[in-house]
Amino acid sequence: RTQEQHDTHITLKLVIFEFVNTFLALFYTGIYLQDLKALKSQLFTTLLVQQVVNQFQEVFIPFFLQKPSSVKFVNKVTRKLGIQDKPKVREVQGITVLSESDPQGEQVLKNISGNHLESLHDDFMELWLQFGHVFLFLSVYPLAALLALINNITEMWADRYKLCRLSSKPRPMCIRDIGAWYSAFRLTGMLSIVSNCWLLSLDLYGQPACASLSSSDLQWFLLWVTVEHGLFAIFLGLDALISDVPAKVKLQMDRANLHFKKKVLKDKLD
């Protein structure tokens, strides 16, 4: 299996697990129990607690762990447990070993001791969960968008501090796109059309302002099915009309592909 297939399978498992673990209870409360007040309360509590916990885990815990006193304590504990890795001493002719207090090696030691960024699955999962909380239940709790905006502003500053001060230099990787996460966001957006139409039908059912729209439950149901299909048509139409890649970028990509194909063909003929 290639690395791309491996990441796709991991993404699929994470999305299914988190969808069942996070959103299933909210759908049960809002659609099956039809308790919209409890749904709003759960959304507010989930978003607030999730934002506070994520900021604490990503910034404050690594910040305190990299304090000199914390580093000394961790080194002391690992030394007593016998699990501390000792650096290998290599004698290379013509190269002198720098001491730990040397300013030339300070940046290197800081980079080695920082948190290693292995993958972006946690960051994409955080964004996808926030996207789901906002869009899947936007019709009954619009305040979720404001909470997400505040979280993204604070997250921007926290990530900048984490990447520049607490993490080691990330290893550059060459990838085509965000992989299966694009499909996860796209399917969540399509599911949000169904969920919002359903929740709106429950919220507006029986209100005097909407009494003239239908005279029976069947007409009310067919009305919202029509609205849902219309929104799906708009969604698919915009997706087909507006390309993900700008025309100028697509033209340059096609030129680059044609250039490399001609280069490969020329090398084969030579």
Side-chain angles (χ1 to χ4, degrees):
R1 296 186 304 173
T2 63
Q3 183 65 33
E4 185 177 356
Q5 290 174 329
H6 175 71
D7 293 338
T8 300
H9 294 160
I10 289 181
T11 302
L12 180 62
K13 294 175 183 178
L14 288 174
V15 167
I16 293 175
F17 175 80
E18 289 295 340
F19 184 87
V20 174
N21 187 46
T22 305
F23 297 123
L24 199 61
L26 297 175
F27 280 118
Y28 176 79
T29 303
I31 294 179
Y32 184 78
L33 297 181
Q34 299 183 8
D35 191 349
L36 300 184
K37 291 184 178 180
L39 176 61
K40 295 177 183 179
S41 177
Q42 288 186 18
L43 282 171
F44 176 77
T45 305
T46 303
L47 283 172
L48 191 62
V49 171
Q50 191 178 55
Q51 292 172 7
V52 173
V53 170
N54 286 335
Q55 298 290 349
F56 187 78
Q57 287 180 342
E58 293 181 2
V59 179
F60 289 102
I61 291 180
F63 174 76
F64 285 111
L65 287 178
Q66 291 193 12
K67 285 289 186 180
S69 57
S70 301
V71 173
K72 290 180 180 179
F73 175 75
V74 172
N75 290 337
K76 184 178 180 180
V77 172
T78 54
R79 195 162 45 245
K80 286 186 177 181
L81 295 176
I83 58 177
Q84 187 177 24
D85 295 332
K86 296 182 179 180
K88 296 181 180 179
V89 180
R90 298 179 180 178
E91 295 182 0
V92 182
Q93 187 177 3
I95 297 178
T96 58
V97 179
L98 298 177
S99 62
E100 294 184 359
S101 60
D102 194 300
Q104 297 181 14
E106 182 179 355
Q107 185 62 34
V108 177
L109 293 173
K110 182 180 178 181
N111 186 39
I112 294 174
S113 61
N115 297 325
H116 296 281
L117 185 64
E118 300 295 340
S119 68
L120 296 176
H121 286 297
D122 293 337
D123 298 286
F124 275 115
M125 177 56 67
E126 183 181 349
L127 290 174
W128 179 76
L129 287 174
Q130 183 188 91
F131 182 84
H133 280 102
V134 172
F135 281 87
L136 289 175
F137 310 98
L138 185 62
S139 59
V140 295
Y141 194 65
L143 187 60
L146 178 61
L147 294 176
L149 176 63
I150 297 173
N151 174 73
N152 290 338
I153 294 175
T154 57
E155 184 81 13
M156 178 180 62
W157 293 94
D159 284 346
R160 186 183 68 173
Y161 179 80
K162 179 182 68 174
L163 293 174
C164 296
R165 299 294 183 87
L166 303 178
S167 301
S168 60
K169 185 178 180 180
R171 180 169 56 90
M173 299 177 61
C174 182
I175 57 175
R176 291 187 298 176
D177 47 31
I178 62 174
W181 287 107
Y182 174 78
S183 301
F185 280 97
R186 178 182 173 85
L187 291 176
T188 306
M190 297 177 68
L191 181 61
S192 66
I193 297 176
V194 181
S195 64
N196 282 291
C197 287
W198 191 288
L199 292 172
L200 270 177
S201 67
L202 295 176
D203 192 23
L204 298 178
Y205 182 74
Q207 293 189 7
C210 302
S212 59
L213 296 177
S214 63
S215 58
S216 63
D217 293 343
L218 179 60
Q219 289 184 358
W220 184 255
F221 174 76
L222 293 177
L223 171 65
W224 285 102
V225 169
T226 305
V227 172
E228 174 198 339
H229 281 65
L231 292 175
F232 265 117
I234 295 174
F235 176 85
L236 296 176
L238 290 176
D239 185 63
L241 292 175
I242 303 175
S243 175
D244 295 332
V245 181
K248 293 183 179 179
V249 177
K250 184 68 168 58
L251 179 61
Q252 295 298 329
M253 292 172 62
D254 293 340
R255 286 178 177 176
N257 291 332
L258 180 61
H259 171 74
F260 284 118
K261 287 181 180 179
K262 288 183 177 179
K263 184 72 169 60
V264 171
L265 183 61
K266 183 178 179 182
D267 292 341
K268 287 182 178 180
L269 294 176
D270 294 341

